[in-house]
Amino acid sequence: MKLRSTIHYGFSSIIPKFFHHHHHHLQCRGIVKVRLKWVKNRSLDHIIDTETDLKAACLLKDAIKRSSGGFLASNSIANWQKLLGLTIPVLRFMRRYPTLFDEFPHPKYPSLPCFRLTDTALMLHSQEESIHQTNEPDTVKRLCKVLMMMKTRMVPLQSLSPLKWDLGLPDDYHKTLIPKYPDHFRVIKASNGLPCLKLGEWREEFAVSALQESNERGDGGEYREFKRGKSALAFPMSFPRGYGAQKKVKAWMEEFQKLPYISPYEDFRQIDPSSELMEKRVVGVLHEFLSLTIHKKTKRNYLRSLSEELNLPYKFTRIFTRYPGIFYLSLKCKTTTVAIKEGYRRGKLATPHPIARIREKYNYVMRTGLLYRGKGMNMMPKEDVLLDVGENTTEQEESAEEEPDIDDECNKGEISEEDLDSDED
């Protein structure tokens, strides 16, 4: 497939100069794409499995805090299993973690189990609220950047709501965060009647992608060349063992990296939709969106709900399997999760956000809860909650996962067309 012409009059401001110099050469030369088999990554699958339970526990914690009586009856949450992404009934899940959830009989109906938060959970929630307040400027910036990537600079609240956890938004962000920043955000009603969050005004200081920032923090040479229009920015890549050394894969990735980098915040309307340049832009959009999440991953269906606003192709999921050095696509926990591989190192987040650190404390309390199950609701020493235990426990648990034998790390297989294009998650 040949690289089609992508440059038109008036578009030169967003394309590095070197692309103009070699435009004819690139147009006449096709990039030979290599079909790669999907590779299972046990370490990332383990993280996704663990954080599925962690997310469910935190969502239940927030629901209890929102409730008028400070507790949830088991009959009110019986149908939440799919919503929470669990593979077991919600009642059984909550009983698994007595250090977070205290079970007691309903005041009027003794046979009805109810759950409230333990003192440990309340202490963690208080710490979490404090972290949200301290990191509010960062939250506002990341939310602005999400809106700046959208075609209409707005997103339906119903599409943003499932992303609260991934983007690290407070549970009641629409009541507490949005009204505080009227210059940044506005809630409006779209033509279809749906309430949407709209960007207040374009903020040029935010229009720098994670890839640009990481290159600027590095030695600076490549980024300075990029800003002068003389070089493309390369995506960090980490191939499964055995792939990176293959000549065809190496040649393909080298050609891909040489294509101009188009920031997700730049105008792209005059790029040929079927060109390799547009595909690299799509890679950049997905890379940037995942970089804005707390855990550097999200569910495929969450992206699908935003695909039109992000100008993603209909079958954008195939991008994740086409570039396994950049992304990882997981089928763990009966759903499809996508992640950027550079976000993880030795089985944990490379640069954990403060929100990720407090969530690791929840995870620690949950794991400890398995030991104290059936021994009372507040058996866990509160001193453990106050300690920064997350990093050490994660490293001990995960470091062995990062350097296994080849057969353990990578189970080569196929993801079917149905898996890639299915709407079921």
Side-chain angles (χ1 to χ4, degrees), residues 23-119:
H23 177 212
H24 177 73
H25 175 64
L26 286 171
Q27 184 178 356
C28 297
R29 181 191 61 194
I31 295 181
V32 179
K33 295 181 181 178
V34 181
R35 183 176 178 82
L36 301 177
K37 290 183 178 181
W38 175 70
V39 174
K40 182 180 180 68
N41 187 307
R42 293 184 184 275
S43 178
L44 288 177
D45 275 348
H46 177 77
I47 292 171
I48 290 167
D49 191 17
T50 300
E51 290 181 359
T52 296
D53 280 5
L54 174 61
K55 177 181 178 180
C58 289
L59 292 179
L60 285 166
K61 180 265 299 179
D62 290 336
I64 293 174
K65 287 295 294 183
R66 286 196 306 269
S67 65
S68 57
F71 67 90
L72 292 176
S74 58
N75 60 350
S76 67
I77 58 177
N79 296 325
W80 288 14
Q81 181 177 332
K82 185 175 181 181
L83 179 67
L84 294 171
L86 295 174
T87 56
I88 61 173
V90 180
L91 179 61
R92 180 180 165 192
F93 175 82
M94 297 187 78
R95 283 173 170 167
R96 180 180 287 180
Y97 302 113
T99 44
L100 285 183
F101 307 112
D102 173 34
E103 183 177 352
F104 67 98
H106 192 280
K108 292 185 178 180
Y109 312 101
S111 62
L112 180 63
C114 298
F115 293 89
R116 59 195 167 203
L117 297 179
T118 64
D119 290 345

Side-chain angles (χ1 to χ4, degrees), residues 233 341 372:
L233 288 182
K341 299 179 76 173
Y372 291 114

Side-chain angles (χ1 to χ4, degrees), residues 326-346:
I326 303 173
F327 304 110
Y328 178 62
L329 184 145
S330 172
L331 304 179
K332 196 72 176 174
C333 300
K334 298 182 180 180
T335 189
T336 306
T337 303
V338 291
I340 47 171
K341 299 179 76 173
E342 69 185 270
Y344 294 87
R345 187 179 303 121
R346 294 190 62 80

Side-chain angles (χ1 to χ4, degrees), residues 29-213:
R29 181 191 61 194
I31 295 181
V32 179
K33 295 181 181 178
V34 181
R35 183 176 178 82
L36 301 177
K37 290 183 178 181
W38 175 70
V39 174
K40 182 180 180 68
N41 187 307
R42 293 184 184 275
S43 178
L44 288 177
D45 275 348
H46 177 77
I47 292 171
I48 290 167
D49 191 17
T50 300
E51 290 181 359
T52 296
D53 280 5
L54 174 61
K55 177 181 178 180
C58 289
L59 292 179
L60 285 166
K61 180 265 299 179
D62 290 336
I64 293 174
K65 287 295 294 183
R66 286 196 306 269
S67 65
S68 57
F71 67 90
L72 292 176
S74 58
N75 60 350
S76 67
I77 58 177
N79 296 325
W80 288 14
Q81 181 177 332
K82 185 175 181 181
L83 179 67
L84 294 171
L86 295 174
T87 56
I88 61 173
V90 180
L91 179 61
R92 180 180 165 192
F93 175 82
M94 297 187 78
R95 283 173 170 167
R96 180 180 287 180
Y97 302 113
T99 44
L100 285 183
F101 307 112
D102 173 34
E103 183 177 352
F104 67 98
H106 192 280
K108 292 185 178 180
Y109 312 101
S111 62
L112 180 63
C114 298
F115 293 89
R116 59 195 167 203
L117 297 179
T118 64
D119 290 345
T120 300
L122 290 170
M123 185 185 304
L124 281 172
H125 181 76
S126 177
Q127 291 183 29
E128 185 180 0
E129 285 187 321
S130 177
I131 288 173
H132 275 299
Q133 292 174 7
T134 303
N135 291 274
E136 192 169 277
D138 174 70
T139 303
V140 169
K141 177 182 177 180
R142 285 185 294 105
L143 187 54
C144 279
K145 295 182 78 166
V146 168
L147 296 175
M148 288 167 65
M149 293 172 66
M150 302 296 162
K151 181 169 55 179
T152 60
R153 311 297 183 228
M154 65 180 183
V155 60
L157 289 177
Q158 67 177 20
S159 297
L160 192 59
S161 181
L163 283 160
K164 284 192 300 183
W165 164 270
D166 294 334
L167 293 173
L169 301 178
D171 181 56
D172 57 351
Y173 78 98
H174 56 291
K175 295 179 180 178
T176 58
L177 183 71
I178 301 304
K180 288 175 63 176
Y181 297 89
D183 293 338
H184 293 70
F185 311 111
R186 288 188 292 134
V187 177
I188 65 169
K189 188 171 288 187
S191 57
N192 58 7
L194 293 176
C196 296
L197 183 65
K198 186 175 179 64
L199 185 70
E201 61 182 46
W202 183 267
R203 297 187 174 271
E204 192 62 33
E205 68 273 22
F206 293 166
V208 181
S209 71
L211 184 63
Q212 291 171 316
E213 288 180 345

